[in-house]
Amino acid sequence: MVCEMENDQIEDMEVEVLSSMWPEDIEHEAGKQFNVEKPRGDQDMLEEVTIVEEPTIVDFQHLIELTDYTDKGSSQLAYLVKHWEYKQANAVRLLREELDNLSRQRQESELKKLEILEEHRFEEERYGGDKRSISILDGIYDIWQEVPRRKNNIVVPSKRVEIDAEYDTVIYWKQRATHLEKMLEASMQREQLLKEKLQESIKNLEKQSSPVEELSQILKRADNFLHFVLQTAPVVFGHQDKELRYRFIYNHFPSLQEEDILGKTDVEIFTGSGVKESQDFKKEVMDKGLPAKREITFETELFGSKTFLIYVEPVFSKAGETIGINYMGMDITDQVRKREKMIKLREEIAVRKAKETELNRTIHITEETMRAKQMLATMSHEIRSPLSGVVSMAEILSTTKLDREQRQLLNVMLSSGDLVLQLINDILDLSKVESGVMKLESTKFRPREVVKHVLQTAAASLQKILTLEGNVADDVPIEVIGDVLRIRQILTNLISNAIKFTHEGKVGVKLYVVPEPPFAKEASQCVSNGSTANQSTTNISEEETCTSMSQTSSDQRGFHGKKHEGSSQNHSQSEPGTRVRNGTIDTSEEQAELLETTVWIRCDVYDTGIGIPENALPTLFKKYMQVSADHARKYGGTGLGLAICKQLVELMGGRLTVSSRVHCGSTFTFILPYKVSLSCDSSDDPDDLSDMDDHGATNDDATASFFQFQPRTLGSLFSSNGSSRTQRLLPHNVGYCCANSHKLNGFSETSYSFPTGNGRTKEMDLVEDACSVAEAVEISSEPESSFSHSPDLHNESPMCSDKHHQNDVNAETKASTRDVSSCSETSRDIDVKTKIREPQLPPKRQERPDSSSQSSQEVSNSISKPKILLVEDNKINVMVTQNMMKQLGHMIDVVNNGVEAVRAVQRHSYDLVLMDVCMPVMDGLQATKLIRSFEETGNWDEAVKAGIEQPSTFDSLQPDRTHPKHTAIVAMTANALSESADECFANGMDSFVSKPVTFQKLKECLEQYLP
Amino acid sequence: MNIVNQLQRQFIDFSTSLHREGFVDDQFTQLQKLQDENSPDFVVEVVSLFFEDCEKLINNMARALEQTQGVDFKQVDASVHQLKGSSSSIGAMRVKNACISFRSFCEAQNREGCLRCLQQVTHEYSLLKNKLQTLFTLEQQILAAGGSIPVVD
């Protein structure tokens, strides 16, 4: 029982002792870390757990040294000893108490014995003399009084002695004596028993009381406890001495043997990143003498990449010297990884949020910009309409009789108006492209024609002595598909730019096929397979064409080369050859083309102008940017042109680049993809076909590869083939003024043997002559130059007799047009040039063949009245338009919606339909689509599908008309924004007039569309 | 003769003011130019037609916009579109401009805005009507006085 009590106490103390073995701040951190349930069956509890004792590697000797040397170790030892002493003392005290107890009992029993003996003597005395009678029982009673009460547990046999015999007899005394003797014996026995117990107790005490055993037991328990707790904890702890050599280490996942670790430093044990750091950290702690924590990431061969949170505390000797460190490391790789992931996530979130706000801002800005642009576009549009009114009126005014001063003023007015109009158009175009509403059309066109027309137009307005030349390589297809309007716009822009900055020399255009450029390949690689397949076919076909005309291309190259060298006369030698091949190639090309392919055509616009300094190149294509403010002043312009060109080219999937040398000239190059249509032309464009059949001129026009426009002299007299646009008019009188150019047609067409170059050279000479004249007097009126041409015509006319008639037709056409226009122009020209010496003319207008030819058209119109249909639901609009038409000399039919329009077209064939777009029942777009469908298929199935009855009387449709002719349909749109124009074109309309319809607009429209 | 001159001057002044104040634009001038011996009352005819049309359309729109809920903006828009077309055709600039802002409110389905615009259109319409009536009266007076109507550019 005593032992057990002691045990309890010891357990209590053990706990305290153990806790003090731990580093102090761990205890602080976690409070009372070892709050363990009192292990009543403590050993049992731990016995159930199998403890692997291997992980601990202890240098025992050092441990003992440690306990001796360090404060903590010694205090701990002292504590243990003190505790042991206390325990022993306690045991001794208890034993002593027991001993006291026993000895007192012994005293008492001896005392009793003495009394008993005395009593006996008294009895004998009384028995002898003194006869005083004392009751024994009374006396005994007295004795009992002195016995300590608490010793109740000691069994004392009853003192009352029953004596049967009669008092004071011998028997009585004898009996009494034996009785007492028995009592004594019992007492003796008890004493013996107690003595034995004492002995046993002492022995027991002796057995328990070895301090080493006690201590080792405590230690063992602590050890077990530690193992139990740390069994699977990812911790390593240990002690390192002053030199940072391991003296003790606990590692749950040991990968090294004891001898590999003990007595070695970190650096000696493993290598890799982090090792050095931890070593340095430990050193630092040791030097500073303050505990510290740090996170170190190890990257070692031994255990891979792991992060440890390391706690290091210095260990001091009793003298206060640092003799080593304790360190504890915990593997926090996962936590670190998680933490890093969290950080990364947080960062990402932050970045995303930032992006979002950025994006929102951008969206906001974009919206604002879009709105601003829209605004600008709307404004520009609103400005354009009245302005065009002003300009058109001025134009008309210019055709009236004016005196010189008035004309001069008017010219200034016109050129200013043109400029503003151009600027507004530029702004509109730009905003269209930028806002993405610009839609590209795909129409078939002839690049040669485009180049020629653009140059022609430029030549017409040329006010400098410059040579304009165009050169289209033979490998460029006759017809390609693209947005001809835009391409024309780009070309016009680049050429007018070139002209603007070129004061002498020439401006030219070169067109040739190039292989697919790398930028397009890059782009197309991202696109789906379909397009790549397309490309491959392209390549093949390109190869085919290459082989089929390898000779040509090489020749062509030579031709180019010569041209490059400069003098425009050079090509006269190579010209005939090329020409000949042209014809053959055309056919072979047409045969080779079986599929629709893409062809990349490069266009160089070169000049011999002032050039562009290198530092200005980067900003060249920026909006409102010009090379310098000085240039802007000197040359004017808005700086929008190139930006538009670039945007348009890029919109079409091409590239616009520039190379330039100051004072030598610039070359703007754009490469664009075009579709090449391989289907037969005839089905698409019957008119064209008939043209080609009837008049070789068109064909020639399509294949001509070189155009040249000499300075000013020949304003509209171009050296290449004549236009065939107005061929239908029959000749009244053969004009000779510009027959020269047509004659060339004849040559090229009829006899290949005849060197075309000759004609050209002659002409050129003439031109040069004229030039010199022009330079001298600065006058070059057309009649003069044409007169000088006339002998040529006479000389050569017999040779081209077979085509002569046709040429005559052409020539006549030209003549008639020119007759009309040149009369007034000539006089005006002279006026301006000689007197004013300020050629401010916008000759585009003056030399416009349309305006003049139209006058003759009107004559022909009056003969057979054209039928015009107005489709408009607004009564007022109808009234106004009708009246205007009446003024223009036309009676018109009026219907009120698309359905009625379709019905009307079913009944009559109209030369022109003016179609409102927004109408009830059926809008103009759909009606147009239906009419176009009829024109294509020859039946009204689409219309029937749309719910319009087939006309019962078909008589109005000429039975011979297998191919219904193309009805000119002009949209009348109230929508200011240009996308509706695109919509109009998309639905097959030929053109559009924006509302309100004005006299001028109607007139222009009629001029354009009535034959 | 004197009175004719006076009337003519008045007419010119009045026309100029109409142009200046933006009641009519060049389109109206074009209309006037279209008027000749063959159609002596062309302008009056067109303008009367326009006013009739206008009144009808305004009534339509007012009815449509009366609904506090579920206004048929499409119908209103169609009417405005028509009105805009007519007004631009006769050159009634201020009515046309009012129509332009009207349409944007229609597109936004803003009933309040539409009502405001309708009010404005009605206002402009009646103003124009008054002005043109004055103009026509002047014309008639000139004609009655035996003068010819001067051409205002």
Side-chain angles (χ1 to χ4, degrees):
Chain A
M1 191 176 139
V2 173
C3 259
E4 257 184 43
M5 273 176 64
E6 271 176 13
N7 259 350
D8 285 358
Q9 243 170 340
I10 287 163
E11 281 309 327
D12 271 340
M13 307 205 64
E14 250 177 33
V15 169
E16 271 166 45
V17 169
L18 259 178
S19 63
S20 69
M21 281 174 73
W22 289 89
E24 271 148 27
D25 65 354
I26 285 184
E27 216 174 289
H28 293 315
E29 270 176 3
K32 249 191 161 238
Q33 205 170 11
F34 285 89
N35 281 332
V36 190
E37 210 183 328
K38 272 188 190 167
R40 258 188 212 283
D42 54 341
Q43 299 290 20
D44 297 341
M45 195 174 95
L46 290 173
E47 262 164 26
E48 280 173 28
V49 185
T50 48
I51 292 160
V52 191
E53 296 199 19
E54 280 164 346
T56 326
I57 299 159
V58 189
D59 185 347
F60 273 110
Q61 205 193 332
H62 185 76
L63 192 64
I64 289 157
E65 277 171 28
L66 257 184
T67 43
D68 285 346
Y69 285 129
T70 67
D71 277 339
K72 199 178 273 173
S74 58
S75 77
Q76 203 169 308
L77 206 64
Y79 199 89
L80 275 172
V81 170
K82 221 194 240 166
H83 169 66
W84 184 80
E85 277 170 359
Y86 167 74
K87 218 175 74 179
Q88 295 307 316
N90 203 27
V92 166
R93 188 175 49 86
L94 283 168
L95 283 172
R96 217 165 261 155
E97 256 175 44
E98 190 79 5
L99 201 64
D100 285 351
N101 217 356
L102 281 172
S103 59
R104 209 174 338 170
Q105 277 181 18
R106 202 171 130 186
Q107 265 179 356
E108 276 168 23
S109 60
E110 264 167 23
L111 207 71
K112 220 179 223 170
K113 192 181 165 184
L114 220 80
E115 275 172 26
I116 291 163
L117 285 176
E118 259 176 58
E119 236 174 87
H120 274 282
R121 202 185 53 203
F122 286 147
E123 295 272 318
E124 274 159 55
E125 278 175 15
R126 246 178 287 166
Y127 188 89
D130 191 278
K131 295 266 191 166
R132 198 186 59 169
S133 67
I134 298 161
S135 156
I136 290 172
L137 280 175
D138 286 348
I140 289 168
Y141 191 79
D142 283 341
I143 294 167
W144 281 113
Q145 292 283 323
E146 287 179 57
V147 177
R149 291 255 165 109
R150 74 175 179 111
K151 284 290 168 184
N152 290 338
N153 57 342
I154 294 165
V155 185
V156 181
S158 167
K159 296 277 184 332
R160 197 170 292 270
V161 184
E162 303 289 335
I163 298 165
D164 305 330
E166 228 175 292
Y167 184 72
D168 220 12
T169 61
V170 178
I171 297 163
Y172 167 81
W173 288 112
K174 269 185 185 168
Q175 265 184 355
R176 198 173 154 86
T178 24
H179 205 83
L180 283 173
E181 228 153 75
K182 259 185 210 160
M183 273 177 75
L184 191 63
E185 215 169 295
S187 178
M188 293 290 274
Q189 247 171 17
R190 214 163 43 239
E191 197 176 337
Q192 191 62 36
L193 205 77
L194 282 170
K195 255 183 200 163
E196 270 170 31
K197 220 176 190 176
L198 187 63
Q199 283 299 314
E200 203 181 313
S201 209
I202 287 167
K203 226 191 265 169
N204 221 0
L205 206 63
E206 269 170 3
K207 218 192 272 171
Q208 291 186 320
S209 56
S210 152
V212 176
E213 214 174 296
E214 195 81 21
L215 273 175
S216 65
Q217 237 171 42
I218 291 165
L219 283 174
K220 194 172 159 72
R221 214 171 288 143
D223 198 30
N224 281 345
F225 186 78
L226 280 176
H227 273 118
F228 170 67
V229 171
L230 299 173
Q231 208 167 16
T232 54
V235 291
V236 179
F237 53 84
H239 175 79
Q240 281 166 293
D241 64 14
K242 221 172 173 175
E243 287 161 354
L244 293 173
R245 295 187 185 283
Y246 279 96
R247 291 299 179 184
F248 163 82
I249 187 163
Y250 169 88
N251 185 358
H252 182 66
F253 302 105
S255 38
L256 290 172
Q257 297 298 312
E258 185 180 329
E259 60 268 23
D260 291 332
I261 297 176
L262 291 183
K264 289 187 178 167
T265 62
D266 278 328
V267 185
E268 283 163 3
I269 295 166
F270 35 45
T271 52
S273 69
V275 176
K276 187 87 200 349
E277 192 188 349
S278 77
Q279 178 102 345
D280 291 346
F281 173 55
K282 284 167 185 171
K283 257 184 209 145
E284 198 186 307
V285 168
M286 210 148 65
D287 293 344
K288 280 191 184 162
L290 291 168
K293 275 183 269 185
R294 185 176 289 180
E295 215 176 272
I296 295 173
T297 305
F298 292 94
E299 179 74 64
T300 61
E301 280 177 32
L302 210 59
F303 48 81
S305 170
K306 277 195 166 156
T307 307
F308 284 87
L309 176 65
I310 289 177
Y311 167 78
V312 180
E313 63 172 7
V315 179
F316 303 104
S317 70
K318 277 172 193 162
E321 280 175 79
T322 317
I323 54 158
I325 49 140
N326 288 334
Y327 97 96
M328 172 157 172
M330 183 177 252
D331 181 4
I332 52 163
T333 314
D334 294 346
Q335 284 70 26
V336 168
R337 219 170 274 155
K338 270 181 210 157
R339 192 179 61 202
E340 273 164 9
K341 225 180 253 173
M342 281 298 286
I343 289 168
K344 213 176 262 173
L345 276 175
R346 253 179 231 137
E347 260 171 28
E348 269 171 30
I349 289 168
V351 167
R352 204 160 293 164
K353 253 183 203 156
K355 267 186 193 160
E356 221 166 81
T357 47
E358 187 62 26
L359 210 65
N360 276 333
R361 201 174 309 140
T362 316
I363 287 170
H364 186 70
I365 290 168
T366 314
E367 275 172 0
E368 288 284 294
T369 321
M370 287 290 281
R371 214 168 300 140
K373 274 181 190 150
Q374 196 74 30
M375 175 78 182
L376 190 66
T378 318
M379 288 260 296
S380 306
H381 189 87
E382 296 296 320
I383 294 166
R384 187 163 62 167
S385 309
L387 187 67
S388 57
V390 172
V391 173
S392 333
M393 287 304 156
E395 276 169 42
I396 294 180
L397 192 62
S398 73
T399 60
T400 58
K401 224 176 145 140
L402 296 170
D403 68 29
R404 209 188 327 119
E405 201 176 347
Q406 281 173 328
R407 189 165 299 285
Q408 188 192 353
L409 293 173
L410 195 65
N411 283 335
V412 173
M413 190 173 142
L414 277 173
S415 64
S416 314
D418 265 350
L419 207 65
V420 179
L421 215 54
Q422 187 54 48
L423 172 60
I424 287 165
N425 285 339
D426 282 357
I427 292 170
L428 271 173
D429 278 348
L430 205 59
S431 59
K432 259 194 282 183
V433 176
E434 279 176 357
S435 58
V437 296
M438 172 80 85
K439 283 175 201 146
L440 293 174
E441 287 174 67
S442 289
T443 46
K444 213 180 274 182
F445 69 95
R446 297 177 172 175
R448 285 170 184 80
E449 259 177 323
V450 170
V451 170
K452 196 190 79 184
H453 288 158
V454 169
L455 286 175
Q456 202 176 325
T457 316
S461 57
L462 199 60
Q463 291 162 27
K464 296 174 182 171
I465 299 170
L466 287 177
T467 304
L468 301 186
E469 55 189 30
N471 186 3
V472 183
D474 286 344
D475 54 355
V476 174
I478 295 178
E479 275 194 336
V480 296
I481 295 170
D483 190 334
V484 63
L485 281 177
R486 301 297 163 210
I487 290 162
R488 249 186 117 120
Q489 189 181 354
I490 296 164
L491 210 52
T492 310
N493 226 324
L494 291 179
I495 287 173
S496 63
N497 220 34
I499 290 171
K500 190 154 99 182
F501 295 107
T502 305
H503 303 301
E504 53 183 352
K506 62 187 175 185
V507 170
V509 183
K510 228 175 350 181
L511 227 66
Y512 48 101
V513 171
V514 289
E516 190 183 10
F519 67 82
K521 276 177 192 149
E522 278 164 34
S524 61
Q525 265 159 11
C526 314
V527 190
S528 65
N529 296 336
S531 64
T532 49
N534 228 348
Q535 276 162 27
S536 62
T537 58
T538 311
N539 290 342
I540 291 163
S541 78
E542 263 174 18
E543 271 168 26
E544 274 172 30
T545 44
C546 277
T547 49
S548 70
M549 43 185 213
S550 57
Q551 200 202 337
T552 325
S553 57
S554 64
D555 249 18
Q556 189 65 27
R557 220 155 278 148
F559 172 64
H560 275 303
K562 274 172 193 160
K563 245 183 60 61
H564 265 303
E565 281 158 28
S567 151
S568 43
Q569 273 111 322
N570 267 358
H571 43 77
S572 55
Q573 288 108 4
S574 54
E575 192 81 323
T578 337
R579 269 263 171 212
V580 176
R581 229 161 280 118
N582 251 351
T584 54
I585 289 152
D586 288 346
T587 52
S588 71
E589 245 176 4
E590 264 163 285
Q591 280 160 4
E593 290 164 352
L594 294 164
L595 294 156
E596 192 177 76
T597 59
T598 303
V599 62
W600 289 83
I601 297 176
R602 179 178 158 138
C603 180
D604 292 338
V605 176
Y606 53 92
D607 64 55
T608 56
I610 57 167
I612 304 156
E614 207 162 311
N615 59 8
L617 287 177
T619 56
L620 198 64
F621 295 112
K622 295 231 171 86
K623 273 180 279 178
Y624 309 105
M625 279 292 200
Q626 285 189 328
V627 170
S628 71
D630 200 38
H631 281 85
R633 261 199 306 283
K634 195 167 166 190
Y635 296 102
T638 56
L640 278 174
L642 284 176
I644 292 169
C645 284
K646 191 170 168 63
Q647 291 201 346
L648 283 175
V649 168
E650 278 165 12
L651 191 70
M652 289 189 271
R655 279 282 161 91
L656 176 62
T657 51
V658 62
S659 64
S660 183
R661 274 180 65 196
V662 178
H663 305 309
C664 292
S666 317
T667 303
F668 285 83
T669 300
F670 64 92
I671 303 175
L672 281 179
Y674 303 85
K675 285 255 159 34
V676 181
S677 148
L678 305 162
S679 58
C680 199
D681 289 341
S682 52
S683 63
D684 277 286
D685 216 338
D687 278 348
D688 252 18
L689 187 70
S690 64
D691 268 1
M692 277 197 271
D693 289 344
D694 296 342
H695 318 283
T698 317
N699 205 357
D700 195 58
D701 209 24
T703 54
S705 61
F706 185 73
F707 320 98
Q708 193 174 44
F709 301 88
Q710 286 295 327
R712 166 157 283 300
T713 33
L714 305 173
S716 57
L717 238 200
F718 38 89
S719 54
S720 143
N721 324 287
S723 127
S724 55
R725 270 165 84 180
T726 48
Q727 282 160 356
R728 286 198 185 127
L729 292 174
L730 282 168
H732 298 299
N733 56 341
V734 177
Y736 46 78
C737 56
C738 53
N740 183 292
S741 60
H742 294 289
K743 165 205 68 202
L744 286 176
N745 272 351
F747 283 136
S748 53
E749 282 290 310
T750 52
S751 54
Y752 294 120
S753 58
F754 197 90
T756 334
N758 283 353
R760 200 150 287 171
T761 322
K762 272 178 208 156
E763 188 196 49
M764 215 122 54
D765 291 339
L766 281 170
V767 163
E768 265 153 30
D769 287 344
C771 271
S772 56
V773 174
E775 276 166 60
V777 207
E778 265 219 333
I779 292 176
S780 57
S781 62
E782 277 152 333
E784 272 174 359
S785 56
S786 44
F787 278 128
S788 58
H789 281 291
S790 54
D792 272 351
L793 173 71
H794 293 306
N795 291 343
E796 282 154 12
S797 53
M799 293 182 185
C800 50
S801 55
D802 55 340
K803 288 275 174 176
H804 199 201
H805 168 70
Q806 172 201 332
N807 287 336
D808 280 352
V809 173
N810 290 349
E812 180 275 330
T813 312
K814 281 285 152 191
S816 65
T817 55
R818 206 141 290 117
D819 281 344
V820 175
S821 58
S822 56
C823 313
S824 58
E825 271 165 31
T826 317
S827 61
R828 201 167 68 204
D829 278 359
I830 290 164
D831 276 349
V832 173
K833 280 171 217 148
T834 50
K835 310 264 167 74
I836 303 165
R837 288 208 157 261
E838 210 178 272
Q840 278 277 11
L841 316 171
K844 198 185 356 176
R845 230 169 267 117
Q846 291 155 10
E847 328 240 335
R848 188 193 281 165
D850 300 33
S851 62
S852 44
S853 65
Q854 165 258 320
S855 64
S856 50
Q857 278 159 14
E858 271 177 23
V859 177
S860 68
N861 289 344
S862 59
I863 299 160
S864 64
K865 274 237 171 222
K867 278 190 81 72
I868 300 170
L869 177 68
L870 173 67
V871 189
E872 167 70 73
D873 63 317
N874 189 315
K875 277 177 283 177
I876 290 136
N877 290 355
V878 169
M879 205 163 161
V880 172
T881 312
Q882 214 167 7
N883 211 292
M884 283 178 173
M885 285 303 230
K886 203 166 81 190
Q887 293 267 315
L888 286 166
H890 294 287
M891 290 307 288
I892 56 172
D893 292 349
V894 179
V895 290
N896 296 322
N897 61 49
V899 174
E900 286 176 28
V902 172
R903 290 216 178 98
V905 173
Q906 280 172 345
R907 282 192 198 95
H908 308 277
S909 119
Y910 286 97
D911 296 298
L912 176 65
V913 178
L914 295 171
M915 182 88 78
D916 186 20
V917 175
C918 262
M919 281 182 297
V921 189
M922 179 186 282
D923 66 21
L925 298 175
Q926 204 191 342
T928 308
K929 217 155 64 179
L930 295 178
I931 293 167
R932 289 289 178 245
S933 148
F934 164 68
E935 284 168 0
E936 264 166 43
T937 61
N939 61 56
W940 286 102
D941 292 351
E942 286 296 317
V944 173
K945 255 184 244 170
I948 301 169
E949 295 288 310
Q950 189 110 356
S952 49
T953 51
F954 231 86
D955 47 40
S956 60
L957 293 173
Q958 294 92 322
D960 62 313
R961 210 162 56 146
T962 45
H963 260 298
K965 67 163 188 171
H966 180 93
T967 311
I969 301 179
V970 175
M972 297 192 296
T973 160
N975 283 347
L977 280 180
S978 40
E979 60 244 47
S980 70
D982 294 340
E983 229 177 320
C984 290
F985 292 130
N987 280 285
M989 286 168 170
D990 293 290
S991 168
F992 77 99
V993 177
S994 63
K995 283 186 185 172
V997 175
T998 62
F999 201 68
Q1000 186 60 28
K1001 283 180 198 163
L1002 271 184
K1003 207 168 133 194
E1004 276 170 15
C1005 184
L1006 293 179
E1007 280 164 10
Q1008 196 178 353
Y1009 288 100
L1010 291 183
Chain B
M1 213 51 207
N2 205 9
I3 189 140
V4 170
N5 268 343
Q6 218 171 1
L7 282 171
Q8 280 177 337
R9 178 155 302 163
Q10 216 177 334
F11 178 83
I12 289 170
D13 285 348
F14 191 69
S15 311
T16 327
S17 79
L18 283 184
H19 277 271
R20 201 180 47 235
E21 287 162 31
F23 285 106
V24 294
D25 58 17
D26 291 340
Q27 187 73 19
F28 185 73
T29 317
Q30 290 219 356
L31 282 194
Q32 287 176 316
K33 281 185 188 159
L34 287 177
Q35 187 166 284
D36 55 13
E37 312 83 61
N38 297 327
S39 50
D41 295 323
F42 175 68
V43 176
V44 178
E45 275 169 28
V46 173
V47 169
S48 327
L49 187 66
F50 169 71
F51 285 138
E52 268 172 46
D53 207 37
C54 219
E55 237 159 275
K56 204 176 70 207
L57 290 170
I58 285 172
N59 286 337
N60 279 350
M61 291 189 282
R63 228 175 296 129
L65 287 169
E66 255 169 35
Q67 261 83 31
T68 43
Q69 293 246 306
V71 177
D72 187 355
F73 283 103
K74 234 178 185 164
Q75 195 211 321
V76 178
D77 190 54
S79 301
V80 181
H81 177 68
Q82 202 160 7
L83 187 59
K84 188 186 152 212
S86 315
S87 51
S88 77
S89 244
I90 69 147
M93 197 153 85
R94 284 168 68 152
V95 178
K96 188 184 87 178
N97 289 344
C99 286
I100 289 170
S101 49
F102 200 158
R103 282 203 86 178
S104 58
F105 281 116
C106 272
E107 269 157 39
Q109 310 232 322
N110 181 344
R111 183 169 167 270
E112 287 304 307
C114 281
L115 282 171
R116 258 205 317 281
C117 282
L118 180 66
Q119 209 175 359
Q120 205 194 338
V121 167
T122 319
H123 177 68
E124 290 296 343
Y125 151 76
S126 40
L127 264 181
L128 182 71
K129 199 173 176 178
N130 277 333
K131 297 272 180 191
L132 290 185
Q133 267 166 358
T134 315
L135 191 75
F136 294 147
T137 320
L138 267 175
E139 264 185 39
Q140 276 165 356
Q141 281 172 345
I142 293 171
L143 289 175
S148 65
I149 294 158
V151 178
V152 184
D153 273 318

